[in-house]
Amino acid sequence: MSARFAVGDNVRVREAYPPGHIRTPHFIRGKAGVVSAVIGTFANPEELAYGRPGTPKQTLYWVTFPQTGLWPDYAGPEHDTAVVDVFEHWLVGEQQ
Amino acid sequence: MSDHHHHDDDWPYPHPKQPDTEDAPFTDHMAMAEAVTELLIDKNIFTADDMRKMVEYIDSKSPAEGARMVARAWTDPDFKGRMLKDVNAAAKELDIDAGTIPIRCVENTPEAHNVIVCTLCSCYPRMLLGLPPDWYKSRAYRSRVIREPRKVLAEFGTDISDAVETRVHDSTADLRYMVLPMRPKGSEGMNEDALAGLVTRDSMIGVSVIKDL
């Protein structure tokens, strides 16, 4: 499976709240970031958690978020970031 | 010997009793883990001694292994390059077993300070740093370092200049992280063993930096 996003792409995390074993933390849902690395493909943990094989494997990315975009009251400088591992099916492309 | 019988309500010491492990509630998940372990042993998938040995092996891991890698990276730029690409493979070069879960090394520079957390649970590079400190697993650390990293770092005695980017890595999925701290000034003449002695666990989590000598 080829990666849908490349380093430097602007992306947004889907704002969805499905039940189950989800590795996408709430604080990034609906938030915009930039792909900073394409890590590789891994069995989907949302499937593995229920004893299924986790196929198709999902591409995992590093997505870098500006802290000021995550927390409206962020007290540090603009250049502070959070880097979160996010699976491809949680990301949508964003025009910039 | 006195004829006093010390029952729970007759604790003669001025300090509270330390709780026993069994004082914490035995949860459904703990029962399930015990049941699965017993089944695997009954079905001869592994023996009780295999299980004990594995726990003993994981407990034997310590930050000294990560520190050896950091010291080598400081003294050998080619090794550092390989380590930044693939920590598990680089560990093998030093006869360190870093396990099969991929570990990524993030490098501190004069421009960026990295710190690691697992906001969802408590993922930690145990195979390189040993067992995590209790605070790493606490809800306070996990929820706060991601949203006020500078304040949390300051509570650890680590002040990061506003000119430097703080970069919090959340290990939410299939990777584990270690920080490659900056080599302290004044360590230029030191050999690899002496350098490894400077590298602390907390500097590889990123809540601390290694002070200049």
Side-chain angles (χ1 to χ4, degrees):
Chain A
M1 201 170 129
S2 63
R4 192 147 53 92
F5 302 107
V7 171
D9 283 1
N10 293 292
V11 290
R12 188 174 288 275
V13 180
R14 284 168 45 218
E15 186 156 13
Y17 300 91
H21 179 84
I22 310 289
R23 305 302 304 181
T24 306
H26 280 227
F27 67 86
I28 59 168
R29 297 195 195 173
K31 306 290 185 184
V34 176
V35 171
S36 47
V38 183
I39 301 299
T41 59
F42 294 88
N44 184 352
E46 295 167 19
E47 294 290 311
L48 286 180
Y50 295 95
R52 297 191 285 255
T55 49
K57 284 188 173 184
Q58 288 287 329
T59 302
L60 183 65
Y61 299 90
W62 271 3
V63 181
T64 298
F65 300 89
Q67 288 279 26
T68 52
L70 296 179
W71 319 106
D73 58 348
Y74 189 71
E78 298 264 319
H79 56 224
D80 283 358
T81 56
V83 184
V84 184
D85 308 350
V86 190
F87 283 102
E88 186 167 281
H89 63 289
W90 275 91
L91 297 174
V92 288
E94 177 107 322
Q95 296 299 322
Q96 194 79 7
Chain B
M1 203 177 133
S2 83
D3 54 7
H4 271 95
H5 293 280
H6 295 306
H7 300 295
D8 281 359
D9 52 356
D10 185 22
W11 182 248
Y13 306 105
H15 55 79
K17 251 184 176 175
Q18 286 286 338
D20 290 316
T21 307
E22 293 79 4
D23 289 346
F26 188 67
T27 65
D28 290 352
H29 291 100
M30 288 159 79
M32 231 187 297
E34 265 190 34
V36 169
T37 305
E38 282 171 17
L39 276 170
L40 290 166
I41 291 169
D42 282 351
K43 289 179 179 293
N44 293 317
I45 310 293
F46 55 68
T47 66
D49 190 52
D50 291 336
M51 175 82 179
R52 179 204 59 74
K53 265 196 263 184
M54 182 53 76
V55 172
E56 184 182 43
Y57 179 61
I58 294 169
D59 285 355
S60 76
K61 292 288 193 171
S62 87
E65 304 195 323
R68 273 174 63 208
M69 296 194 70
V70 169
R72 175 65 62 90
W74 282 345
T75 52
D76 180 345
D78 292 338
F79 177 83
K80 183 174 110 177
R82 294 195 294 279
M83 180 169 160
L84 290 172
K85 269 207 199 97
D86 185 342
V87 171
N88 306 62
K92 272 192 202 121
E93 294 182 38
L94 303 187
D95 289 323
I96 293 170
D97 172 15
T100 50
I101 300 176
I103 302 174
R104 284 292 173 111
C105 177
V106 289
E107 183 183 14
N108 281 350
T109 66
E111 289 78 38
H113 177 87
N114 295 279
V115 57
I116 61 176
V117 65
C118 174
T119 60
L120 294 175
C121 42
S122 55
C123 299
Y124 187 77
R126 290 170 183 240
M127 294 297 279
L128 269 188
L129 301 189
L131 295 176
D134 285 346
W135 54 256
Y136 183 85
K137 298 183 279 182
S138 71
R139 192 161 52 211
Y141 178 75
R142 287 160 41 225
S143 59
R144 291 187 56 223
V145 78
I146 189 71
R147 65 171 299 152
E148 46 181 15
R150 289 171 185 273
K151 204 167 163 201
V152 173
L153 290 172
E155 289 168 17
F156 278 101
T158 305
D159 292 303
I160 303 297
S161 152
D162 275 357
V164 175
E165 170 190 345
T166 62
R167 203 177 282 162
V168 185
H169 289 268
D170 189 358
S171 12
T172 51
D174 284 81
L175 302 181
R176 302 293 176 269
Y177 293 94
M178 70 173 287
V179 173
L180 175 58
M182 282 197 286
R183 181 172 175 165
K185 292 193 183 77
S187 67
E188 291 74 13
M190 293 173 74
N191 68 25
E192 213 175 298
D193 280 352
L195 288 169
L198 300 176
V199 182
T200 61
R201 175 196 70 195
D202 288 358
S203 70
M204 293 183 284
I205 300 173
V207 294
S208 177
V209 297
I210 302 171
K211 304 255 180 333
D212 293 338
L213 303 175

